[in-house]
Amino acid sequence: MAVQPRVLIMSENSPLLGPLAEGLERLGWAAQMTTSAAEAIQILIDLPIEAVILDLPTADDHGQVEALARRLKAAVAPRQLPIIALGAPDALFETPAFDLVLSPPLHPAQAAMRMETLVRSAIADEEFNLRQQTFAERGKRLERPVDRTEPLRILAIGEPAPQFLALSNMLAKAGAEVVGAFTAYTGFDYLHEQSFDAVVMWGGTNTTEALSIAGGMRRNTRLFHIPITLCTATNDKVTATEAFNRGVSDVATPDTAEHDTAQRILELARAYRRQTAIRAALDRIRASGLMDGATGLFTRDLFAAHLLRLSQTAVQNRRPLSVCVLRVIDSDEVHQARTGGWMERALPQIGSMIGRLVRAEDTAARIAPEVFALALPATALHEGQAAAERIAAVIACTAFDAGTDRPAFVAEFNIGVAQMEPGESAASALERAAAKALLPTQS
């Protein structure tokens, strides 16, 4: 089966971007290339393209480039299409038609990381629009997220090495408020006491400590989504794959220009702030009577209605949609906690944790007293499985009160995940996921 392209690369001289396309394909971003605007629009109509890289270095009229970008976006509306423009990031190129402007050459790994961030932000905006419709059908108005205007706040953790200080200064010159913490202990103090839009860590001579901080943040529901950038030293043996597996969002190597690293950090910070604004807007609807009163999650009926809308949009936009079911395992300690009412008291906290652990574009619901469901737009089966397992693992690390005479208990889940198949209804996919969640946990 042929791999569907995910990114369209448009250039007046396509052969020059061949290595970029090859590198992106190795990273899971199959590319389609073209030199024609008409062909580009047709490709966008015919294929489920997620992002565009637009390279027109010889164009004399920036207005024409901007007009082309708007035409490309309009071709797939209402689906949002992130566009990365390659060229000098001067004032003429700073336009809403482009989501990001980068100076060539562009490394495939850098392009892939930027596209992941831009695509998830676009999907979050699409999801908010869908939720507005779902709530409006029930007579409730969901206000648009209010974008904060204060400077981005970035926590820089690590020894004051010259390269790290130079990066911090560049972030500050870009308008960000940078707070420095020289040790992991001080860094965690700052994270628990203040709010930040991003964290940047200097690996230096102790990358293990930096990865430990990342792992600790990913086990904390309040810090779970804050983006983390790791800056490595020349002799660092830690691979990008290892760093990503420990929860790092981006890796900057010594040969990465400080300007590019700063831009990547700021991009992640802006995306996180946008997602935080969406979460805050959704939090304001919790007292509407539509949400589950104990957890603040979607109720079963509200989830069913929204899932139908999500499935229709997924078909229209030719994007995958996965659903997950998490059912509390009926262990001996959970059974004992039920008898004293302690399980019932823990469920609101469990549901609230799930709500904080899902991404801004994901929908979490309580569909039975001890059963939760997730709808994950633009998410394939294996990605949905990984997301559900991460959420379950974080909750399994939490001890819940079982009374003064009994030890605290933990809640673990049976997990079922299904991706909606062509011609299948969302309800059918949810039933398949629920059936898997009824199966015993595999040892």
Side-chain angles (χ1 to χ4, degrees), residues 188-221:
F188 265 114
D189 276 350
Y190 277 122
L191 285 168
H192 287 293
E193 294 170 2
Q194 301 179 30
S195 296
F196 294 94
D197 300 298
V199 172
V200 55
M201 298 186 298
W202 169 244
T205 58
N206 194 356
T207 304
T208 302
E209 183 177 274
L211 293 180
S212 177
I213 296 172
M217 291 177 63
R218 296 305 179 239
R219 291 190 295 271
N220 184 297
T221 55

Side-chain angles (χ1 to χ4, degrees), residues 281-346:
L282 293 173
D283 284 343
R284 290 193 288 271
I285 205 72
R286 288 189 173 186
S288 66
L290 295 178
M291 312 292 277
D292 178 67
T295 62
L297 303 180
F298 277 49
T299 62
R300 178 173 180 168
D301 291 344
L302 184 64
F303 181 75
H306 190 61
L307 184 60
L308 176 60
R309 177 168 278 110
L310 277 172
S311 65
Q312 293 169 342
T313 303
V315 172
Q316 175 186 340
N317 291 342
R318 286 172 292 180
R319 283 180 174 151
L321 172 66
S322 291
V323 289
C324 310
V325 173
L326 295 88
R327 185 186 302 270
V328 175
I329 294 175
D330 191 14
S331 63
D332 289 340
E333 57 180 344
V334 166
H335 181 71
Q336 292 176 2
R338 287 197 195 105
T339 61
W342 295 101
M343 185 63 198
E344 185 177 349
R345 297 177 191 179

